[in-house]
């Protein structure tokens, strides 16, 4: 993986083979006008659980973790699942990844990854000493995809979670 979003942890679930192929292509964010409000609400929910004195410091840090992807592009190449947020560099994870180190970030922190699949979803879990990021892309129909992120860390009183809706381009 070239670059990981957020705290160095991402989660994704998709079926291998024919199922994964159904995710292939580009998916576009829907209801973009409410996206920032959705993310702000998720951040505020976690911040409210924190000590009053820490909230002001925590909000900007949490907001950095809530990147908005206007589009997602997916593919399967050989034994790798690939995903791309907007025009960023393509990320990859082995279809067989089950907790092994998949990358070392620019600060030398090891990031382990797990690839999970179901009939209608791809789940990628990325974990480091900083925390855990679970990204789930769930196919609701041939043209609709829900993207859910769950960030967990011992520094957070409750997980930071949000869901956005995408449609096939």
């Amino acid at each position: 993986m070239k670059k990981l979003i957020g705290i160095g942890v991402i989660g994704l679930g998709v079926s291998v083979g024919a199922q994964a192929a159904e995710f292939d292509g580009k998916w576009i964010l829907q209801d973009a006008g409410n996206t920032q409000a959705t993310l702000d609400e998720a951040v505020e929910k976690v911040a409210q659980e924190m000590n009053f004195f820490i909230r002001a410091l925590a909000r900007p840090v949490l907001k950095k973790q809530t990147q908005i992807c206007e589009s997602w592009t997916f593919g399967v190449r050989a034994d790798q699942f690939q995903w791309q947020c907007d025009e960023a560099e393509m990320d990859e994870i082995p279809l067989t990844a089950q907790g092994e180190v998949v990358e070392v970030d620019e600060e030398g922190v090891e990031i382990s990854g797990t690839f999970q699949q179901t009939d209608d979803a791809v789940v990628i879990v990325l974990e480091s000493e900083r925390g855990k990021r679970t990204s789930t892309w769930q196919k609701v129909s041939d043209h609709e995809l829900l993207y859910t992120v769950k960030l967990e860390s011992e520094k957070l009183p409750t997980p930071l979670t949000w869901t956005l809706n995408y449609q096939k381009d």
Side-chain angles (χ1 to χ4, degrees):
M1 289 189 213
K2 306 297 181 208
K3 169 189 80 67
L4 298 176
I5 299 170
I7 59 175
V9 180
I10 293 182
L12 171 70
V14 169
S15 298
V16 177
Q19 302 297 343
E22 294 177 13
F23 282 76
D24 279 357
K26 190 171 189 175
W27 297 79
I28 307 297
L29 179 65
Q30 299 301 298
D31 200 19
N34 292 331
T35 300
Q36 192 60 55
T38 298
L39 298 179
D40 289 346
E41 183 179 321
V43 166
E44 192 58 33
K45 182 178 177 182
V46 173
Q48 289 301 317
E49 297 286 325
M50 296 178 162
N51 178 297
F52 176 77
F53 297 106
I54 296 175
R55 287 181 197 164
L57 298 171
R59 282 185 185 103
V61 173
L62 292 172
K63 283 186 179 193
K64 282 179 65 176
Q65 301 303 318
T66 58
Q67 177 185 11
I68 298 172
C69 295
E70 297 294 327
S71 68
W72 285 105
T73 303
F74 303 105
V76 175
R77 190 186 85 212
D79 61 348
Q80 303 280 319
F81 181 81
Q82 301 176 319
W83 71 101
Q84 180 180 27
C85 171
D86 298 329
E87 300 303 317
E89 196 168 332
M90 184 74 71
D91 284 313
E92 298 180 335
I93 190 168
L95 297 174
T96 58
Q98 293 299 311
E100 62 266 14
V101 174
V102 294
E103 169 154 353
V104 176
D105 75 8
E106 59 279 347
E107 296 174 6
V109 175
E110 291 184 345
I111 300 167
S112 62
T114 300
F115 177 86
Q116 301 171 344
Q117 59 194 14
T118 67
D119 288 341
D120 65 351
V122 169
V123 178
I124 295 176
V125 179
L126 299 176
E127 196 164 0
S128 75
E129 63 190 32
R130 296 180 187 133
K132 179 177 175 180
R133 182 181 185 109
T134 303
S135 297
T136 303
W137 289 269
Q138 181 176 11
K139 193 170 178 185
V140 178
S141 72
D142 286 343
H143 301 288
E144 184 177 5
L145 187 73
L146 293 179
Y147 171 58
T148 302
V149 177
K150 181 178 180 181
L151 297 175
E152 300 170 274
S153 171
E154 62 184 37
K155 296 179 181 179
L156 296 177
T158 184
L160 175 58
T161 305
W162 69 93
T163 300
L164 300 175
N165 187 296
Y166 291 79
Q167 287 193 344
K168 186 80 170 182
D169 186 21

